[in-house]
Amino acid sequence: MKGKNPTNKMTVDTAKKVVNYVLEHKNIFNEKAVIWEFIGGEPFLELDLIDQVSDYIKQRMYILDHQWFTNYMFNFSTNGLLYSTPKVQNYIKKNRNHVSIGISVDGNKIKHDLQRIKPDGSGSYDEVIKNVPLWLSQFPNAMTKATFSHDDLPYLKDSIISLWNNGITTVAANVVFEDVWQEGDDVIFENQLKELADYILDKKMWKKYSVRFFDPQIGFPLKKDELKNNF
């Protein structure tokens, strides 16, 4: 991903203004339920702030007798490094039945460590994957999102299979949207998908496992309204 913001952080006051605006404009936000998304960067680096915001959301919904008071979720997309820490686990317990968490495991070790590196240049796969069993025990139907780019396309098939073998049955995979592609990447991509499809068919895996590349809705011409979507 390009253009990440390395410096600015949301303040509690700004977050409260957002919450107040959403909760006090029922004419705009009139759905029966809501998902409050915490994404980053890495949201668990700011868990003290998020905990304050979460408490404020619950308090305001109660005070306003809002229809979302019992119909809400806090949703996280995390790199998984801090998942097993006491602070994160306490937040999960505190918000039991109202929190969902997705951990981004990018594939097999080679592919993951190409993209998800620490400031010292080392990969994060070994530390993330050890938290997956705890995560899946708490969120049995959780999915991961694997993102592919030019340099890791050759590992696509093995990466998806690796994720399945680690107990992650649903993989929301996609490619990056930035202009990073090179001549011949389309051929590599197609061949990897064909090999993965053959593997699925040979092993009869389609009943239990899925990957977004093979979503039945993908591949049709887009309608004019669909071209306005942000994904």
Side-chain angles (χ1 to χ4, degrees):
M1 185 176 183
K2 297 182 178 179
K4 282 194 175 183
N5 174 6
T7 53
N8 297 328
K9 299 194 300 184
M10 181 181 285
T11 64
V12 174
D13 287 341
T14 297
K16 287 181 177 180
K17 289 177 183 177
V18 174
V19 173
N20 289 338
Y21 180 81
V22 172
L23 293 179
E24 293 169 8
H25 286 78
K26 292 184 181 181
N27 58 319
I28 301 174
F29 306 100
N30 58 3
E31 289 80 3
K32 294 180 180 179
V34 65
I35 298 174
W36 302 91
E37 293 263 12
F38 295 104
I39 58 176
E42 172 49 46
F44 288 148
L45 289 173
E46 298 293 338
L47 194 55
D48 290 335
L49 167 65
I50 288 172
D51 190 37
Q52 291 183 63
V53 176
S54 300
D55 286 347
Y56 185 75
I57 289 171
K58 290 180 284 187
Q59 292 165 3
R60 292 300 296 163
M61 290 191 300
Y62 176 77
I63 291 170
L64 295 171
D65 192 23
H66 200 284
Q67 63 188 20
W68 294 341
F69 180 62
T70 56
N71 296 313
Y72 70 93
M73 293 292 290
F74 297 135
N75 189 52
F76 292 82
S77 296
T78 172
N79 63 28
L81 286 172
L82 298 174
Y83 186 82
S84 61
T85 60
K87 186 177 288 189
V88 172
Q89 289 300 306
N90 287 337
Y91 180 90
I92 293 172
K93 292 176 183 176
K94 179 179 179 180
N95 294 283
R96 189 183 305 275
N97 300 324
H98 288 284
V99 63
S100 61
I101 297 174
I103 291 181
S104 296
V105 189
D106 252 11
N108 63 15
K109 178 176 172 60
I110 298 173
K111 184 257 186 288
H112 182 99
D113 285 347
L114 274 172
Q115 305 293 0
R116 296 186 174 273
I117 57 176
K118 300 178 184 178
D120 65 4
S122 62
S124 61
Y125 179 84
D126 291 335
E127 292 181 53
V128 174
I129 205 70
K130 71 181 182 183
N131 287 328
V132 166
L134 173 62
W135 169 54
L136 291 178
S137 72
Q138 294 173 322
F139 302 96
N141 298 317
M143 67 173 67
T144 195
K145 181 166 175 278
T147 305
F148 291 86
S149 187
H150 162 74
D151 52 352
D152 55 32
L153 269 184
Y155 307 106
L156 187 150
K157 171 198 169 188
D158 290 341
S159 288
I160 301 303
I161 294 170
S162 174
L163 293 170
W164 289 339
N165 288 340
N166 278 290
I168 306 170
T169 58
T170 303
V171 180
N174 62 270
V175 296
V176 300
F177 298 119
E178 290 89 359
D179 185 13
V180 299
W181 304 104
Q182 298 183 18
E183 190 74 26
D185 283 347
D186 54 336
V187 176
I188 297 172
F189 185 39
E190 181 178 5
N191 288 336
Q192 284 290 303
L193 291 180
K194 285 180 177 178
E195 291 180 18
L196 179 59
D198 287 342
Y199 182 90
I200 293 169
L201 293 172
D202 289 343
K203 303 288 186 181
K204 295 181 169 57
M205 300 181 71
W206 61 85
K207 292 183 179 179
K208 182 177 179 182
Y209 300 94
S210 68
V211 60
R212 187 183 285 166
F213 288 135
F214 297 141
D215 188 315
Q217 303 303 315
I218 289 178
F220 296 100
L222 293 174
K223 299 174 183 175
K224 188 176 291 186
D225 287 344
E226 292 173 324
L227 292 172
K228 299 176 183 177
N229 289 345
N230 64 352
F231 65 91

